[in-house]
Structures are given as C-alpha cells and as structure tokens.
Amino acid sequence: DQCREGVFNVIITWAASGQYGFSYTQDDILAPCQSVKTEWKYACYYEFSQKIKSSGGHDVVALWKIASSIPDPEHSLTVFKVAVANIVQSTILSGEHERELMRCASLPESPALQCVTSIIYGLFEHGSVQKEYVLALKACLLLEESPILAQRCYKAMMTKLPRFYDAATQARI
C-alpha cells in the first residue's frame, strides 16, 4: 500500500498546484478515487483525504458527512480519520482542535470513537517535541463526561506513548 500511496501523493501534489494537467475541485475532491481499481482505492482515498480539510473546514461533523458519502465503510472511515488528523495539524497552535474534539461526541458511535483517536494521534504527530502527551492528556480530561470517548482517548494516548517515549518516561507520564 505504501507504494500505491506514493503514487497518489504525487498526483494530489501535482493537482494542488495544477501541474501536468492534474487538478481537483474542493466540491468533489474524492471523485478520482471512485474510478480507480479496487486494490488502489485505499491509497487514493488516504492521500486525497489529506486535502479534504479545505472543503470540510475544521469541522468534524462536516468531514463525517463527506466521508460517509463513500459507499464502502472501510474507505469512508479511512477518509474520515485522515482528514480529522489533518485538522489537528492546522489547529494545534490555536487550540481549535479542542472544540472539534468535543464535537466528536455528536457523531454516531463508530465515527465518534475514530474522531477521538484521530485527534489524539494528530496531537502526538504534531505536538511539541517530548511534550506531545501534554495536549493529548488535556484532551482526554475534556472528555471525562463521556466515559466511552474518554476511555478511547486514553487508549489512543497509551498506544502512541511507546513510539515517542522510553519505558521510564512512559511510567512517569
């Protein structure tokens, strides 16, 4: 899949700058993925969904509406999780991701859980070096009124800790 993702990464990069005859419209950014062979769909949706934030804004509910229009539930969830993680990349400094984290609760259960996971993963990937957990922990505390989402939040955080911290640091956190 990584080789296929690379192909679509280049295509979407060219399309974003209008190179080599490639382009896309924000209104239907995922349209090219509908016509590719089944074995290429995941890679296409994964890469193209990184550009979806412009059409969905920084709004997880709008992003879910776009993603859920994809007939295949697996591809739908892929688009959603990648687009939500990209929200964090764009909003981590402003703190706007906290508002979207709270809006995850308004989604149906499966996308709500994925929404929380994607925000936590995004905080780790784009947070301050060796302090990635700080914003993630704060985010989990915001969800305390929703035990299911809070539990998912802490689980996502625990999943990411080993990638960023040694065992001793993890124990202190």
Side-chain angles (χ1 to χ4, degrees), residues 108 133 156 165 169:
Y133 71 92
Y165 302 100
T169 305

Side-chain angles (χ1 to χ4, degrees), residues 21-79:
F22 290 99
S23 64
Y24 64 86
T25 64
Q26 283 297 328
D27 295 337
D28 201 8
I29 192 168
L30 301 172
C33 300
Q34 295 166 13
S35 61
V36 299
K37 290 181 180 179
T38 301
E39 61 268 19
W40 288 81
K41 282 190 184 294
Y42 174 85
C44 184
Y45 281 124
Y46 185 92
E47 293 299 327
F48 276 57
S49 63
Q50 293 184 47
K51 301 295 185 190
I52 208 172
K53 63 185 173 200
S54 300
S55 57
H58 297 142
D59 179 344
V60 297
V61 175
L63 289 174
W64 176 243
K65 184 176 179 184
I66 293 166
S68 65
S69 70
I70 298 167
D72 183 303
E74 182 182 336
H75 294 137
S76 178
L77 218 48
T78 295
V79 165

